[in-house]
Amino acid sequence: MKIAVIGTGYVGLVSGVGFAELGHDVTCVDVDAPRIAALRRGEIPIHERGLPELLARNVRAGRLTFSLSTAEAVAGARAVFIAVGTPSAPDGTADLRAVLGAAADIGRAIDGFTVVVTKSTVPVGTWVQLHAAMSPLTTHDFDIVSNPEFLKEGAAIDDFMKPDRVVIGSVGSKAIEIMRELYEPFVRTGNPIITMDNTSAEMTKYAANALLATRISFMNEIANLCERTGADVDQVRRGIGYDRRIGHHFLFPGVGYGGSCFPKDVRAVITTAREHGMEFPLMAAVEDVNEAQKHRLVLKVVDEFGANLRGKHFAIWGLTFKPRTDDMREAPSITVVEGLLKRGGTVAVHDPEALHEAKKLFGDRVSYHRVNYEALAGADALLIVTEWNEFRRPDFARMRQLMRQPIILDGRNLYEPEVMREHGFAYLPIGRTPVRVPTA
Ligand SMILES: NC(=O)c1ccc[n+]([C@@H]2O[C@H](COP(=O)([O-])OP(=O)(O)OC[C@H]3O[C@@H](n4cnc5c(N)ncnc54)[C@H](O)[C@@H]3O)[C@@H](O)[C@H]2O)c1
């Protein structure tokens, strides 16, 4: 099948590569000319495990091409996927300009019956707007399918190729048939393709992200309560996770959620509710708790060192909103770094993949280190913000030698407090009893 994918970000690129891998003829489109030029040279603009190999293979086989022209990509395509960004507007609503712009370009370009699929996360009812935007621009038939994407950055290829479920929202039987043909090879192990109406499909994506964000904020509040009561959140997490009604996922407390999805989708749920005459206090609380949690590490620093951090130097390990990606959109690390700088501290940062992104945000206000140990030189404390695997078993003796003071504020609970005591560190985790006075 000839397919066009509009938008070559995390979702568009992974989807385009995934469909090409199954033998389809895919053109990926973007308005960002340097991005398309880079992709044509074989350079991948994002960090995603497995993507470079799959992309190169499908380009070589002639199944995957890149274009700046929606018209060129859409001509002759039976399915066109919209995978452009839907960031928050200043009032918290989802900014649909890219989606509606892409829909208009598609409307002008279709040359026969076309299935127009929204993979972008869009507010409930957007499919009606898309229909209205495209209808005046074409005489050809088209169906709008709402096909939310559930992939996780860091495991995006795996999630796309082996989804837990595929949600197809459409009222058109021809469109559903084409979508089934496209997705059936991805669910051969029996995971379901769930068909429903467009509105419910759009709501499904928000409900999923809102629930996951709620679990994170809930556990962060439990962790904060553990700190006050002397309970150990890691024990509590395990104690509740074995309950099958609860499960283990998304029960890890930390420095708050970030990324390109949860924050904006939580805000969009709140504004969608408001637009329909309803307050959604639970979601507002989830967001408030998350905002507060992003400041927790800096508040702990202030407890240790005082509000004026002049003359104090801090190392940060991990800048991305989660490991195995280079995405720093709304990452808690931004709040942490800015909080330290604002109070007069100096900051040295390390991240395995995101230093190029960090430079765009922090410029020359911090120092950048490719090697995690190098960021520690002369540090009064290390703050761990992202749980990259390579931070789990570091050389603690080497760390102590490099640092001015052996203090670790761990926003991801990577280590056992007792082990840290043995290594001679003051150790401040989230929701667990801190080690305050090093014995060694
Ligand atoms: N990133 C994720 O993990 C994830 C997961 C599930 C769903 N989503 C949703 O998918 C959508 C895309 O997310 P992303 O992270 O891939 O975004 P992204 O910002 O990484 O990429 C979007 C791309 O679309 C391009 N673009 C914008 N307007 C365009 C237009 N009119 N024509 C062609 N290209 C255009 C941009 O230049 C950019 O390259 C969002 O709605 C997001 O909520 C994201």
Side-chain angles (χ1 to χ4, degrees), residues 3-215:
I3 294 172
V5 180
I6 317 299
T8 61
Y10 291 84
V11 170
L13 211 46
V14 168
S15 309
V17 166
F19 288 126
E21 181 68 9
L22 286 189
H24 298 296
D25 174 9
V26 180
T27 306
C28 290
V29 180
D30 209 292
V31 286
D32 182 339
R35 183 172 270 247
I36 290 296
L39 284 164
R40 283 179 173 154
R41 288 193 301 271
E43 294 163 18
I44 319 273
I46 55 173
H47 173 77
E48 194 56 59
R49 206 170 29 173
L51 186 59
E53 298 78 4
L54 277 193
L55 191 134
R57 184 162 74 211
N58 284 287
V59 167
R60 261 199 316 274
R63 290 189 295 262
L64 183 61
T65 50
F66 302 99
S67 175
L68 279 168
S69 161
T70 299
E72 189 181 287
V74 167
R78 287 189 78 195
V80 181
F81 288 81
I82 301 177
V84 301
T86 48
S88 283
D91 64 356
T93 57
D95 181 344
L96 290 178
R97 279 176 301 177
V99 169
L100 291 171
D105 292 343
I106 297 165
R108 281 187 282 269
I110 58 177
D111 53 5
F113 176 75
T114 310
V115 182
V116 180
V117 189
T118 37
K119 262 210 170 299
S120 299
T121 302
V122 292
V124 182
T126 301
W127 69 283
V128 180
Q129 286 189 56
L130 291 180
H131 210 280
M134 287 179 60
S135 290
L137 301 173
T138 182
T139 52
H140 296 286
D141 268 355
F142 65 90
D143 267 339
I144 304 279
V145 171
S146 307
N147 169 221
E149 180 51 60
F150 299 102
L151 63 76
K152 303 181 288 296
E153 284 176 29
I157 297 280
D158 255 13
D159 288 346
F160 190 82
M161 303 303 278
K162 288 177 258 168
D164 295 338
R165 80 307 205 181
V166 174
V167 170
I168 295 173
S170 178
V171 286
S173 53
K174 207 156 133 196
I176 291 176
E177 200 184 302
I178 290 174
M179 294 299 285
R180 279 196 177 279
E181 188 185 327
L182 277 173
Y183 276 111
E184 258 156 16
F186 295 111
V187 292
R188 279 171 312 158
T189 49
N191 286 346
I193 293 178
I194 307 168
T195 55
M196 58 181 78
D197 61 275
N198 295 74
T199 308
S200 303
E202 288 173 340
M203 182 65 94
T204 297
K205 175 66 189 177
Y206 280 110
N209 276 0
L211 182 56
L212 293 171
T214 302
R215 277 174 80 109

